[in-house]
Amino acid sequence: MTGQVPDEQGLADRMGAALGGDADAYRRLLHECVPLIIGVARSQGVAQSLIDDAVQETLLTLHQARATYDPSRPFLPWMRAIARHRAIDVLRRSGREQSRELHDHPAYELQADPAPPAVALIERRQQRQTLRAMIDRLPAGQRQAVEQLGLAERSLEEASRITGRSKGALKVNFHRALAALRRRSGTGPDV
């Protein structure tokens, strides 16, 4: 993989094609899943020395369970559930082995995670897309206020000059838009 994070729809499309017999799509899907699986394994606390085991077991399980994937559902949560279970299996197995071995725990704690998990990057991208769709459904005045004040981070003065609307109207529309977005996202009161 070239450092790009695969998108949810692309993963689902490749899985659908793989289920239809497209071997190239299946190889690409499994290749793109590796960094995502690594991210899940790290988030579960799998030691760096055991990451390859977690990846291998997850890929094997994905292969064995591929017929259970429902193409009408998102691929990523299905894959992440499998990766989480395999990571836990690796941790259990290593826990049994660790009871017979000595480890330098402070050395592990000082190791920095080199990059954010690819799964987190996909989730952030999905959140941005969802927020953009919610903003696009706002009434024109509220949408304009959010775009100018929130997204473009302009001052009231600048936004007023650009839009030709009063500062007061922009403030009112901005606050109404925020309240509507909170309600729609389920994070605000049902006013």
Side-chain angles (χ1 to χ4, degrees):
M1 201 161 133
T2 61
Q4 284 189 340
V5 177
D7 64 293
E8 168 72 33
Q9 189 58 51
L11 292 169
D13 291 346
R14 280 182 281 294
M15 185 60 167
L19 291 173
D22 185 338
D24 289 333
Y26 191 48
R27 261 191 297 282
R28 185 170 172 208
L29 171 77
L30 295 178
H31 181 72
E32 290 175 338
C33 284
V34 170
L36 304 174
I37 295 166
I38 290 170
V40 171
R42 283 184 179 154
S43 73
Q44 293 295 313
V46 174
Q48 186 63 37
S49 61
L50 298 172
I51 292 287
D52 287 343
D53 292 344
V55 169
Q56 186 176 22
E57 289 187 27
T58 302
L59 290 175
L60 182 61
T61 303
L62 284 173
H63 178 72
Q64 292 169 336
R66 68 187 182 280
T68 67
Y69 173 68
D70 177 359
S72 68
R73 312 265 328 236
F75 174 79
L76 190 57
W78 180 78
M79 187 276 308
R80 286 179 62 206
I82 292 172
R84 233 184 338 268
H85 285 94
R86 293 298 72 87
I88 291 168
D89 289 345
V90 167
L91 288 171
R92 285 182 184 141
R93 192 171 42 255
S94 73
R96 289 190 295 266
E97 293 167 2
Q98 284 181 353
S99 66
R100 296 180 296 249
E101 298 177 12
L102 296 175
H103 293 282
D104 185 6
H105 292 288
Y108 291 127
E109 293 170 5
L110 295 175
Q111 295 296 320
D113 195 3
V119 172
L121 295 174
I122 289 176
E123 288 172 348
R124 273 186 249 139
R125 182 187 307 150
Q126 288 172 333
Q127 289 170 345
R128 282 192 304 270
Q129 289 171 346
T130 300
L131 180 59
R132 184 72 241 184
M134 289 170 52
I135 291 169
D136 289 344
R137 289 192 305 265
L138 289 171
Q142 292 178 13
R143 184 176 56 248
Q144 188 178 47
V146 167
E147 288 170 344
Q148 294 297 317
L149 299 173
L151 300 179
E153 297 181 359
R154 291 192 171 95
S155 69
L156 275 170
E157 181 94 19
E158 291 173 303
S160 176
R161 192 174 54 252
I162 290 169
T163 63
R165 300 177 65 215
S166 72
K167 293 180 200 175
L170 284 168
K171 284 171 68 172
V172 167
N173 279 306
F174 184 70
H175 289 289
R176 287 180 180 167
L178 291 180
L181 292 171
R182 284 187 190 110
R183 278 193 308 274
R184 289 178 186 169
S185 69
T187 60
D190 293 332
V191 179

